Amino acid sequence: MSAQDAINVLVIDDSAHNRHTLTTLLESAPDVRVMDRAADGEEGLKKVLELKPDVVTLDLEMPKLGGYTFLRLLMRTVPTPVIVISSYSHKSDVFKALELGAFDFIAKPPRGTREALEGLRNELLEKVRAARHVRPGQRHAAPGARAMAVAGELPLVVAVGASTGGPPAVQRILEGLAAEPTPCVLVSQHMPSQFTRAFAERLDRIGPFTVTEACDGDVVQPGHVYIAPGGRHMVVAERGTKLELHTPPPTPLDKYAPSVDRLFCSVAQVLGPRALAVVLTGMGADGAEGAREVARVGGEVWAESEETAVVFGMPGEAIATGAVKRVLRLGEMGPALAALARRKR
């Protein structure tokens, strides 16, 4: 591959060891080139303006100019896809970074074993390749929250699947649903296990819904949002007249855990024509098989449009099945769900 065709990456990290490690992992692929490295946000911003990389990897805790300020300035001047490299000890930081415009994040492995570094390499290359195709300004910014009271019975269950770009997108949908905060929302978001609880806690603080990481045996309630635990699936089952959540571990055949397909298929099986599945931004095809199953039983499948999806992989694959009934911009999704919830009361 020629240098012109390579994906050009700028690595920003205050640790020389981390800069060297990330450079080695990235340049192990023939289609990726680390064009330069920076030791802090101030130096990094200058190099972005000068070199115009395709993708930036970013450490959040840096001297002179921290990661948050870097992101604010970058998105105002030269919007560029940014992948945050975060430690497990700073889980909540990544969600603020995503709201400020970061494309996605990767968790540093707690130990630098050969297996851990190989996993980091694979995830890093996958996300760098996807980030290159993001159009400028096509990142989900989350608006402010409104407090509303939760009341009434459970008129609507919404199953949501998302991957890259998903956390701000899920928040945006909940904001749009704030005018009708009685549905139950089940979210399967591709995310490491150490981060899903922090994601749920963050969403719980900003809106009218009670948001928790799902636990095995949880009874589905109106006005609640359940986030599938990272590393496990979330599926729905009947328990008498109630709906109950189960969180089984993945099998060796499962590519994703949590799996959007597993959630959608369980919703289709339990709710039949009342099933409603929403496919948001993300890489890959997770959710397409589940979308087919929801449509087969007479339920509805909605997908985020290419205009607003950070990565159109998952919505595009779902649409290609022919199972999707509505394709909506992200900003239209929440209000449309709220209107549907009012009709189903």
Side-chain angles (χ1 to χ4, degrees):
M1 175 174 286
S2 68
Q4 282 185 328
D5 296 328
I7 304 169
N8 293 309
V9 182
L10 175 66
V11 173
I12 307 176
D13 199 303
D14 64 338
S15 164
H17 172 74
N18 289 344
R19 292 196 299 273
H20 174 75
T21 299
L22 290 171
T23 299
T24 301
L25 295 177
L26 287 163
E27 293 198 329
S28 67
D31 60 332
V32 178
R33 179 174 74 100
V34 175
M35 61 194 318
D36 210 340
R37 296 176 283 191
D40 58 64
E42 186 176 304
E43 182 187 9
L45 192 60
K46 290 177 182 176
K47 289 191 173 182
V48 171
L49 293 170
E50 175 190 350
L51 301 172
K52 296 181 172 54
D54 297 311
V55 185
V56 173
T57 69
L58 177 69
D59 179 32
L60 291 176
E61 294 188 359
M62 297 180 295
K64 293 186 180 180
L65 190 70
Y68 296 147
T69 305
F70 171 85
L71 279 167
R72 289 189 185 97
L73 294 173
L74 181 73
M75 296 308 164
R76 289 175 191 165
T77 52
V78 281
T80 305
V82 173
I83 299 172
V84 170
I85 311 295
S86 174
S87 68
Y88 286 122
S89 59
H90 296 89
K91 303 178 187 69
S92 60
D93 293 353
V94 300
F95 302 111
K96 182 175 180 180
L98 293 173
E99 290 178 8
L100 291 173
F103 169 74
D104 207 341
F105 74 94
I106 295 173
K108 296 176 187 174
R111 297 180 183 84
T113 63
R114 181 178 297 179
E115 293 78 9
L117 286 175
E118 182 62 19
L120 176 61
R121 173 188 177 274
N122 292 338
E123 186 177 8
L124 186 59
L125 290 174
E126 180 184 34
K127 291 186 177 181
V128 162
R129 288 166 179 146
R132 186 190 198 186
H133 301 291
V134 176
R135 292 191 291 273
Q138 194 175 22
R139 296 179 224 344
H140 294 147
R146 292 177 290 172
M148 298 284 289
V150 175
E153 297 301 319
L154 180 63
L156 181 67
V157 174
V158 185
V160 176
S163 183
T164 301
V170 170
Q171 180 176 333
R172 185 78 180 274
I173 283 184
L174 296 184
E175 289 290 343
L177 266 170
E180 185 61 37
T182 56
C184 166
V185 184
L186 310 176
V187 179
S188 181
Q189 163 72 51
H190 295 168
M191 189 177 287
S193 58
Q194 293 87 345
F195 286 83
T196 44
R197 179 167 294 180
F199 180 41
E201 290 170 351
R202 183 175 184 84
L203 291 176
D204 187 57
R205 290 194 296 268
I206 62 173
F209 293 91
T210 299
V211 186
T212 58
E213 184 185 54
C215 294
D216 204 72
D218 279 347
V219 175
V220 170
Q221 300 181 59
H224 282 60
V225 177
Y226 301 90
I227 307 296
R232 302 182 74 88
H233 300 303
M234 178 171 65
V235 296
V236 181
E238 289 182 282
R239 190 177 78 176
T241 59
K242 298 182 181 297
L243 297 182
E244 186 175 80
L245 297 178
H246 295 292
T247 57
T251 71
L253 298 178
D254 289 319
K255 184 176 181 180
Y256 303 104
S259 162
V260 179
D261 281 327
R262 291 282 293 270
L263 172 62
F264 285 4
C265 287
S266 73
V267 168
Q269 181 178 359
V270 172
L271 296 177
R274 294 178 297 150
L276 175 59
V278 176
V279 186
L280 298 179
T281 173
M283 292 184 286
D286 193 19
E289 179 185 339
R292 285 194 192 94
E293 189 62 18
V294 170
R296 187 187 68 80
V297 299
E300 282 195 28
V301 182
W302 298 5
E304 183 179 355
S305 73
E306 188 172 8
E307 295 169 80
T308 62
V310 172
V311 179
F312 193 55
M314 283 170 50
E317 293 289 342
I319 292 167
T321 67
V324 173
K325 184 174 182 179
R326 300 185 69 178
V327 178
L328 299 169
R329 296 182 182 89
L330 181 63
E332 299 169 336
M333 196 78 73
L337 289 169
L340 181 62
R342 286 192 290 272
R343 291 199 301 271
K344 289 183 176 290
R345 276 182 172 179

